[in-house]
Amino acid sequence: MSTMFGNVSDTSIREPNDYRLKSLDLILDSGDVVSLLDMFASINIYQDLFGSPMTCNILLSDAIDLYSKLPIKNNEILKLVFLSPGDSEVTLDMVLYSREKINLSESGGTSQYILKFISPEIIFNGSTKFSKAYTGKISDIVGAIWSELFVKSKPMSVEPTEGETTIVLPINTPMTHINDLSKKAKREGNPDEVNYFFFQDFNNFNFASLGAMYQLPPKTSFFYGRSELLDTGSISTMRSLITDINLVGKENLLTEITKGVYGGFVAAHDVMNKSFGGLRYEYKEAFDKIHHCNQHPLITDTMLEQNIGSLSTFGTGFVGGPFSPDLKTKRMSQIGSFLNKRVKFKVAGNSSVNVGDKIHIDFTHQSNINSDDDGMNKYRSMDYIVSSVKHTINKVNGYTMTIEACSDSYAEPLPENSKFEVEEGQGAIPR
């Protein structure tokens, strides 16, 4: 059983799922502090690259009926401090917003329930709407929205964008505006990269591009497959072993064609000059102009020529507006490519891992075949970006993570012509 590692050194590891929970305090509106360390059964913290706010759910077993005696009112503050040995310490201050799945004991006391917490910025955002005109870079507009409205929060981490624009924001919440602006932002120094996201991790709120994430060094590595290829006697190695995995990327060629992953055409209407034209986007020409998670495309040149050469109209744009008409086609291709190679897996907890981090995953071959690649599957082993992660601290099972990670490319090039080759005794022989 994995447990808290108490007062031993943070670099000491007894079990792969060890953790240290320094604080789990509920701060009441009176200022009184109630420790939940003896009451919690499990803690789940969720991060998501695609706009969902970071949340924390705590399952409590309440033997003293704290729920009714206080009573809990949804205005309490959570102070959570934890880490895995040798990794970054995480400190979260979150607001209680929901009480759910409340069970009563036979005596009528509250025995078990879930408390849900969220960042205070999310509560403020839900009750705030505004409209305003801005001129400047999108990154400067995002920074201005944050500093003007979220005055009690630390500054957002904002990656610079290319070009200036004038825009009038209609009545809406601040984070809705920031999410909308992320879909219109071009990366500074490389305006062909139009893949910004607005998201929250353990450190901050972020406005950043996939291009920047792709250029990061891998935060850590994971391994799935035949354990005899690793030194399984090492605790640090055991922490990298994937225990359960699903390949959840659909890799659906028809969907990717219709969604414009490999090309598209924007019908552009110039109102001022009363003319009609178009802009064509082609995956092959665009691939080398932007950064990728790995080096090689998702599709071969032969497949592009055979299947993707005659795309029908995709989308409609207007020349002369504040944003270029081909921006949507580029973003649809880049986000669609990102979701192609997608895996979901479970592994020992690591408090240093955040959504938006680059990681590396090695897969072995399914069978003990002889190969010149050290037994690794070269079409699955590659770098990925963490698109969502659930950090789970459980009193019985210790600290684990469920990670979803994506990649827009291959580490090894796909062959133009696939050949089926097996060694004698390993399977069917092709005729």
Side-chain angles (χ1 to χ4, degrees), residues 228-247:
E228 65 265 22
L229 296 177
L230 288 182
D231 174 18
T232 54
S234 165
I235 290 293
S236 59
T237 299
M238 292 295 291
R239 292 183 70 201
S240 72
L241 291 180
I242 294 172
T243 57
D244 186 25
I245 193 165
N246 288 296
L247 306 180

Side-chain angles (χ1 to χ4, degrees), residues 185-205:
K186 299 180 179 180
R187 192 177 180 204
E188 185 176 67
N190 194 341
D192 286 309
E193 293 186 350
V194 287
N195 46 35
Y196 276 73
F197 287 92
F198 171 53
F199 61 98
Q200 184 184 12
D201 59 23
F202 284 153
N203 304 306
N204 209 350
F205 283 87

Side-chain angles (χ1 to χ4, degrees), residues 63-359:
I64 60 175
D65 199 14
L66 184 71
Y67 183 95
S68 298
K69 288 178 180 177
L70 283 177
I72 293 177
K73 301 183 300 190
N74 278 7
N75 68 342
E76 293 80 6
I77 304 296
L78 175 70
K79 180 77 170 184
L80 171 59
V81 182
F82 74 96
L83 71 157
S84 47
D87 299 317
S88 301
E89 181 174 291
V90 175
T91 299
L92 299 176
D93 294 295
M94 308 185 83
V95 179
L96 179 63
Y97 76 96
S98 181
R99 315 182 298 275
E100 299 181 6
K101 298 185 179 179
I102 302 161
N103 295 319
L104 298 179
S105 64
E106 293 181 359
S107 63
T110 313
S111 61
Q112 194 175 72
Y113 48 93
I114 294 175
L115 299 182
K116 292 190 173 184
F117 299 86
I118 204 162
S119 297
E121 289 88 353
I122 307 298
I123 299 293
F124 174 80
N125 179 73
S127 60
T128 304
K129 292 188 177 182
F130 82 109
S131 172
K132 188 174 179 178
Y134 290 94
T135 297
K137 294 182 178 181
I138 286 181
S139 54
D140 293 338
I141 295 172
V142 168
I145 293 172
W146 191 263
S147 60
E148 291 168 9
L149 296 173
F150 298 92
V151 293
K152 295 182 179 180
S153 303
K154 67 177 182 179
M156 185 197 303
S157 176
V158 179
E159 181 186 347
T161 59
E162 182 95 350
E164 293 194 356
T165 186
T166 296
I167 186 171
V168 179
L169 301 178
I171 291 287
N172 218 324
T173 64
M175 291 187 181
T176 297
H177 288 312
I178 294 173
N179 265 317
D180 289 343
L181 289 169
S182 72
K183 298 175 176 61
K184 300 176 174 65
K186 299 180 179 180
R187 192 177 180 204
E188 185 176 67
N190 194 341
D192 286 309
E193 293 186 350
V194 287
N195 46 35
Y196 276 73
F197 287 92
F198 171 53
F199 61 98
Q200 184 184 12
D201 59 23
F202 284 153
N203 304 306
N204 209 350
F205 283 87
N206 303 273
F207 187 84
S209 70
L210 282 177
M213 299 175 205
Y214 293 152
Q215 292 181 273
L216 294 171
K219 175 68 68 71
T220 188
S221 296
F222 299 105
F223 179 90
Y224 181 75
R226 292 153 44 207
S227 59
E228 65 265 22
L229 296 177
L230 288 182
D231 174 18
T232 54
S234 165
I235 290 293
S236 59
T237 299
M238 292 295 291
R239 292 183 70 201
S240 72
L241 291 180
I242 294 172
T243 57
D244 186 25
I245 193 165
N246 288 296
L247 306 180
V248 294
K250 293 183 178 179
E251 304 182 33
N252 186 313
L253 180 64
L254 180 59
T255 299
E256 289 164 351
I257 291 174
T258 57
K259 293 293 185 180
V261 171
Y262 302 117
F265 183 86
V266 177
H269 182 206
D270 188 339
V271 178
M272 297 296 294
N273 297 314
K274 297 182 180 180
S275 63
F276 182 85
L279 298 169
R280 181 170 290 280
Y281 172 83
E282 295 186 10
Y283 178 84
K284 182 179 179 179
E285 293 181 0
F287 189 84
D288 291 333
K289 296 180 180 179
I290 63 176
H291 293 92
H292 299 278
C293 200
N294 300 283
Q295 295 180 335
H296 301 285
L298 295 173
I299 194 168
T300 65
D301 289 347
T302 301
M303 291 183 66
L304 283 171
E305 293 170 2
Q306 292 176 349
N307 300 313
I308 324 295
S310 57
L311 278 178
S312 58
T313 300
F314 174 78
T316 302
F318 295 92
V319 174
F323 305 107
S324 57
D326 61 339
L327 189 148
K328 183 176 179 180
T329 55
K330 291 180 179 179
R331 182 174 175 86
M332 288 291 288
S333 175
Q334 291 167 30
I335 302 303
S337 299
F338 177 62
L339 294 173
N340 178 281
K341 313 299 295 179
R342 188 152 50 113
V343 297
K344 187 174 183 179
F345 61 92
K346 188 174 182 179
V347 72
N350 183 332
S351 56
S352 296
V353 172
N354 277 280
V355 68
D357 285 340
K358 180 191 278 189
I359 59 175

